[in-house]
Structures are given as structure tokens and as C-alpha cells.
Amino acid sequence: MTNPSQLRQWGREVIDVEIEALQGMQQYIDDSFVAACEQLLACQGKVIVMGMGKSGHVGNKIAATLASTGTPSFFVHPGEASHGDLGMLTERDVVVAISNSGEASEIMTLMPVIRRLGIPVIAMTGKPDSSLARLAQVHLCIKVEKEACPLGLAPTSSTTATLVMGDALAVALLQAKGFTADDFALSHPGGALGRKLLLRVDDLTHRGEHLPCVEEQVSLSEALLEISAKGLGMTCVVNDQGRLTGIFTDGDLRRVLDARVEIHNSTIGQVMTANPITLADNILAAEALKLMEERKINGLVRIDDQGRPVGALNMMDMLKAGVL
């Protein structure tokens, strides 16, 4: 049976080797890196990433990262490109070709056509004197001293270095373009990330006939009927001008019952929470959630510029929308 401590040791050795490889990558963020960034910033079409084997898997991720951070990009498999997919390329594009050896035959087969189309090529290789590096307009070195694989065969440190170089390009371009969180959200509409970055308060608020609202002079019992009918666990309370003066929640109800307040003879204005926390702007739902958590409240009211309630939402709305 394998010794557990030996397994841990082998795992740590891999991490140590790859950390050392990445530290060595600092030297390659040089003039060639700047030239590659400038080439990609000037691209009027799309960035086409190519790579075979493990380089292809990494290339897929690099293309996805570029696309999601404001640089239109997609991956083309070199083998498929030789059988028709090369038609995806246009003269407005830039090719990022990845090959650790710089001699991948599937990519080299495509180079005469790519050059004939006049498409700039950025090569990422571990060998600056390789065929691919010499044919490219810009060469990004991804050379590592050794693989983490003890046999020196399985791409490990080299693929990590390639991935990091791709991330360096994507993030540098992101910042050069002034790419914002709002821009990022537009390419991530699905999942929790998209919901947090795109959903706004007005997307979740209950409005119109669904907004619980009573006037200050109504009895507490009438207000409870409004709360029950609208199902938000709260109601807005307004004055005779329709401006919000308070709210009454399920928590307030527990408080007044503990105080043995007469629900039929007391008005809602007497027991409401006055001057509640409100939202005047259509902020992100995630920001509203943060406010609710900080203030330890379960609901918020959205008001207009006249102080009149126009919508309300509670923690359950956040939960249903996937913001929570």
C-alpha cells in the first residue's frame, strides 16, 4: 500500500516545480509581450487561438478568457482547420498559435495559408528558434526549465506556463480597454455571477397592485390583512400625500403582540417603524442584499423622487432570484 506521506510529498513537489516555473515567466513579460498586446488591441476582427493536444486544451481556455474579458476570440482546432475550418479566418483576425515545441505539424501545415491571407501570427512556444517562432510576427516565450512530471514527458509546468501567459495577455488587454464589471456581466448572463452583476432592484421589486401599502390612519388589523394579501411579510405606510412615512413587518407584529397592543383599536401609524431604510436608486440587487445583511433587515422599499413608494422586495425575492 502506498505511503500517504509519500503521496503528499509527491504532490508538494509538483507544486514547488510549477511555482518555480512561473517565477521564471516574469522574464518573458518583455517587449515581445508589449508587441503582442498591441497587435491584439489593433485587431479589428477576432483572435483565433490554435493548439494541438494539451496546448489545444489550454488554448480553448485562453480563447474563452479573452472572449469573456472584452477581446472577441474563439478556438480553432488545427486538424479541423485543414479540413475546412480555416474558412473561419478572415484578414481582419489575429492568430495565436500555441506549440511548446514550435514544430506541431498540424499548425505548420496551416502557416502558408495564414501568411497568404496576411493574418498576423502571435506564436507561444518554448523554443524561440523553432519554425513557428520564426514564422510569427511576434513570439511569446513560454519556456520552462523542467516539467513537474518526473519522467519529463507529461506536459505539466509547460501547460501551466502557457495558461498563465494567456491570462497575462487577457488581463493586460482588459485593463487597456477599460473593461468594467458591467461589461463583464454582459458576457456572463447565466449563473450566479450573471445574476449578481446584472440583476437590479427594479427587476425584483413588487409594484402596482402587488405592492403592499396602507395609510397611517388605518387600523393595525386592516394593515395585517394587506400584509397577508400581498405576501411580502411587510407593508408600506404612507401619509395622505402618498409619501412613505414608515413600514410594518412581521417582526414589528411580534413586537406589538409581545407588548399586548390592541390590534383593532390601534392605527398602523402608531406602531409602524418610522423613517425606514429605503432605496432611491435602481441599484444592483447584490448591493441591496448587502445593505439588508448589514442593517439586519428583511425588506426594502424603493421610493421615487417625491418619496412615494414604487416598489418593495424582501430576502425571499433575493433567494428566488439566486442573488442570495
Side-chain angles (χ1 to χ4, degrees):
M1 184 175 179
T2 305
N3 187 331
S5 63
Q6 182 64 71
L7 292 173
R8 287 192 290 269
Q9 180 60 30
W10 287 334
R12 291 185 183 117
E13 286 174 358
V14 169
I15 293 173
D16 287 340
V17 171
E18 298 209 10
I19 287 174
E20 185 177 349
L22 292 184
Q23 289 174 335
M25 290 291 292
Q26 293 281 2
Q27 63 183 306
Y28 304 135
I29 306 301
D30 52 15
D31 290 344
S32 292
F33 180 82
V34 173
C37 289
E38 291 174 343
Q39 185 78 73
L40 294 173
L41 286 168
C43 178
Q44 297 181 339
K46 290 181 171 58
V47 177
I48 313 301
V49 183
M50 294 183 176
M52 282 298 299
K54 302 301 186 294
S55 293
H57 295 307
V58 174
N60 254 306
K61 191 275 179 185
I62 291 174
T65 300
L66 287 168
S68 70
T69 53
T71 301
S73 177
F74 61 87
F75 178 81
V76 172
H77 191 285
E80 298 296 336
S82 293
H83 296 276
D85 282 4
L86 200 61
M88 297 179 182
L89 278 66
T90 72
E91 295 176 358
R92 297 161 61 89
D93 299 332
V94 173
V95 167
V96 175
I98 305 170
S99 170
N100 190 45
S101 68
E103 304 294 344
S105 59
E106 295 85 354
I107 294 179
M108 294 306 299
T109 298
L110 303 175
M111 289 304 293
V113 180
I114 293 173
R115 295 188 69 183
R116 183 174 179 179
L117 290 172
I119 299 173
V121 175
I122 298 171
M124 294 174 61
T125 84
K127 296 183 178 180
D129 58 348
S130 63
S131 300
L132 181 58
R134 290 196 302 269
L135 288 173
Q137 278 69 37
V138 180
H139 175 252
L140 294 176
C141 188
I142 49 172
K143 181 180 179 180
V144 296
E145 291 304 315
K146 66 175 180 177
E147 298 286 4
C149 168
L151 301 176
L153 299 174
T156 45
S157 302
S158 59
T159 49
T160 301
T162 306
L163 183 62
V164 169
M165 181 62 80
D167 287 344
L169 284 172
V171 174
L173 295 174
L174 174 155
Q175 296 188 85
K177 293 180 177 183
F179 194 77
T180 67
D182 287 341
D183 297 323
F184 190 80
L186 293 176
S187 59
H188 296 76
L193 180 62
R195 288 189 289 273
K196 288 184 178 181
L197 292 175
L198 287 175
L199 274 180
R200 293 188 173 271
V201 166
D202 283 358
D203 297 321
L204 303 178
T205 53
H206 300 258
R207 287 172 278 190
E209 62 181 17
H210 302 292
L211 173 64
C213 191
V214 297
E215 295 187 346
E216 293 173 327
Q217 64 269 25
V218 307
S219 68
L220 174 54
S221 59
E222 290 179 89
L224 292 178
L225 291 175
E226 177 74 355
I227 292 174
S228 178
K230 300 300 172 61
L232 268 184
M234 60 169 288
T235 184
C236 303
V237 183
V238 298
N239 60 20
D240 53 7
Q241 283 86 44
R243 294 188 176 89
L244 184 75
T245 56
I247 62 170
F248 190 83
T249 67
D250 289 341
D252 293 320
L253 177 59
R254 289 190 291 272
R255 175 174 53 80
V256 299
L257 290 177
D258 287 342
R260 300 185 182 279
V261 172
E262 175 54 55
I263 66 171
H264 296 291
N265 297 327
S266 302
T267 66
I268 192 67
Q270 294 172 317
V271 295
M272 69 182 185
T273 296
N275 303 314
I277 298 168
T278 60
L279 299 173
D281 299 313
N282 184 25
I283 64 174
L284 287 172
E287 294 179 73
L289 173 62
K290 182 180 179 182
L291 177 62
M292 293 164 74
E293 291 175 335
E294 289 176 347
R295 299 300 183 91
K296 294 181 172 57
I297 56 177
N298 191 50
L300 282 170
V301 179
R302 170 101 150 87
I303 58 172
D304 63 15
D305 55 5
Q306 300 297 315
R308 295 171 299 205
V310 293
L313 74 164
N314 62 17
M315 198 68 80
M316 186 58 68
D317 296 314
M318 298 286 191
L319 182 61
K320 289 178 180 178
V323 180
L324 182 59

